[in-house]
Amino acid sequence: MFYNFAISLYYFGIWLTSFFNQKAKFWVEGRKDVFSKLRSQITDNQSIVWFHCASLGEFEQGRPLIEKIKKTLPQHKILLTFFSPSGYEIRKNYEHADYICYLPIDTKKNVKEFIHIVQPKMAFFVKYEFWFNYLNQLNQSKIPTYLISSIFRKDQIFFKPYGSFFKKMLFFFDHIFVQNEKSKTILLENGISHLSVAGDTRVDRVLEIQKNKKSFDKINAFKGTAEILIGGSTWPLEEDILIEWIHTQKDYRWKFIIAPHDISENHLLEIERKIKVNVVRFSKADAFNSAAAKVMIIDNIGMLSSLYQYGKIALIGGGFGSGIHNTLEPITFGLPVIFGKKYQKFEEAISLVETGGGFSISDYDEFKNVMENLDKEDFYNNASTNAKIYISENQGATKEIFDFVFLNED
């Protein structure tokens, strides 16, 4: 079968890459003892609910459902698997999962051994993970399998004339929970009816973050009475746009926080070199230099989601590259969001642009135009309200999925 040959070839390619690439090395090394570790940890007669996530973003979508299961049905054990090191290495100590490991490569032999050891009561695949041998085996073993927070587009391989093999995998799921009506329509047009629109579980996650947001004395001192524009998970192109705008702001009505995606020392030094006004890093800030600074650079990971409570507007990174980063976190606090043109794979960004809660830009001039519009009170209030509306209208996916799956158990 060509698929199995391609999977083996893919593994061989990553193995070769692992000799000079750290991420590939993690990918290979992390899979070496998966079966022996699972055998030593899992005992007979456990009720295991298996969640599989490609990486960190998908984990954040699965997380609300994991935590609801653990809270509501503690008799179940949670197995969490990751495909990518960027998910596993960051969340390998996640407290709400009982077992965490890399997903063994999708060969028939690996799949049979994995299912035999784990014997999951049910399985959840999050958003975009489709592995034929795993899904086929789960289906043959009559293990209920669900796809959650998924989005489908007409240009995906499932719906191409040559995509019948991939489309077949969609029929292996017992139920597919999609984020929007467009996805539902596409699936129905292709003969897939075991589905429902549940929304995006990440909305429930960001609402939980908002509820439990952290406060930062250094940020309070920095902010004072100023309004803050936050650059969240920025890349160099967003940083250059933001820095050019900063240099046009001559008074202290506005201050700026830059939380770069890359917090390596060389990149932080590069940002500081470009900024011609008073700037301080969060790690070096105190009550005095925070208050005096016009720009603060966040040189750590983990506090951005709570930082948005201090902001008025957010410029989100990634839209000039592979795709924008998290826009749900800022809009939960009512911040209008600005981002680059590569947002089409993100349902929330599409909706925000359509309703006027978010704005897509190509360059500095377009950014300047958006900022000048947002400086008008009515325009700003409308944008902020539309951002909040998206959150209010899309919460509750976690409960809907949980109720469907667990309240309908035999």
Side-chain angles (χ1 to χ4, degrees), residues 159-175:
F159 315 117
K160 300 288 187 182
Y162 50 83
S164 59
F165 171 80
F166 299 94
K167 183 179 178 180
K168 184 178 180 180
M169 286 190 276
L170 300 178
F171 290 94
F172 291 150
F173 292 102
D174 288 79
H175 199 81

Side-chain angles (χ1 to χ4, degrees), residues 16 20 64 137 148 159 163 175 285 322 370:
L16 285 178
F20 52 85
Q137 185 64 50
I148 67 171
F159 315 117
H175 199 81
S322 58
V370 172

Side-chain angles (χ1 to χ4, degrees), residues 10 54-55 67 76 91 122 177 203 271-272 295 313 338 349 370 397 407:
Y10 179 75
S55 191
E67 294 181 5
H76 294 308
R91 293 302 181 191
M122 64 184 66
F177 297 94
V203 172
I271 295 173
E272 290 172 331
V295 181
I313 299 169
I338 307 170
V370 172
L407 297 187

Side-chain angles (χ1 to χ4, degrees), residues 71-240:
K71 181 179 179 180
T72 310
L73 301 170
Q75 69 271 25
H76 294 308
K77 301 288 186 181
I78 300 294
L79 167 65
L80 175 61
T81 60
F82 287 98
F83 180 77
S84 168
S86 58
Y88 176 81
E89 296 300 328
I90 293 175
R91 293 302 181 191
K92 59 186 175 183
N93 296 313
Y94 173 56
E95 61 182 335
H96 295 291
D98 299 280
Y99 315 108
I100 305 173
C101 66
Y102 282 97
L103 181 72
I105 195 74
D106 187 33
T107 64
K108 289 184 177 180
K109 181 174 182 290
N110 282 348
V111 168
K112 287 182 179 179
E113 186 166 5
F114 181 86
I115 299 298
H116 176 72
I117 296 170
V118 175
Q119 296 185 33
K121 178 181 177 65
M122 64 184 66
F124 291 91
F125 284 63
V126 182
K127 196 173 184 178
Y128 286 139
E129 279 293 270
F130 303 95
W131 298 108
F132 184 88
N133 289 319
Y134 276 105
L135 292 173
N136 187 32
Q137 185 64 50
L138 287 165
N139 180 256
Q140 290 182 4
S141 302
K142 299 189 184 308
I143 296 169
T145 304
Y146 305 96
L147 180 64
I148 67 171
S149 288
S150 57
I151 295 178
F152 291 92
R153 302 180 308 277
K154 289 184 177 181
D155 61 352
Q156 288 173 306
I157 193 169
F158 310 105
F159 315 117
K160 300 288 187 182
Y162 50 83
S164 59
F165 171 80
F166 299 94
K167 183 179 178 180
K168 184 178 180 180
M169 286 190 276
L170 300 178
F171 290 94
F172 291 150
F173 292 102
D174 288 79
H175 199 81
I176 297 173
F177 297 94
V178 296
Q179 289 190 32
N180 55 41
E181 290 290 338
K182 291 179 183 177
S183 296
K184 178 181 177 180
T185 299
I186 291 168
L187 291 178
L188 289 174
E189 288 173 347
N190 284 273
I192 300 160
S193 58
H194 51 290
L195 75 149
S196 56
V197 178
D200 187 350
T201 50
R202 288 181 306 158
V203 172
D204 300 321
R205 172 63 184 155
V206 295
L207 283 168
E208 188 67 22
I209 291 172
Q210 181 202 46
K211 179 181 176 182
N212 299 299
K213 61 185 180 294
K214 300 174 183 177
S215 180
F216 304 99
D217 292 339
K218 292 179 182 180
I219 305 296
N220 283 316
F222 169 74
K223 183 181 188 304
T225 59
E227 295 174 326
I228 295 184
L229 194 162
I230 299 176
S233 297
T234 53
W235 291 79
L237 281 171
E238 290 94 9
E239 288 154 11
D240 288 345

Side-chain angles (χ1 to χ4, degrees), residues 1 6 17 21 32-33 84 119 177 181 205 252 294 349:
M1 185 180 184
T17 307
N21 180 281
K32 279 189 174 179
D33 300 316
S84 168
Q119 296 185 33
F177 297 94
E181 290 290 338
R205 172 63 184 155
Y252 266 82
K294 191 173 185 66

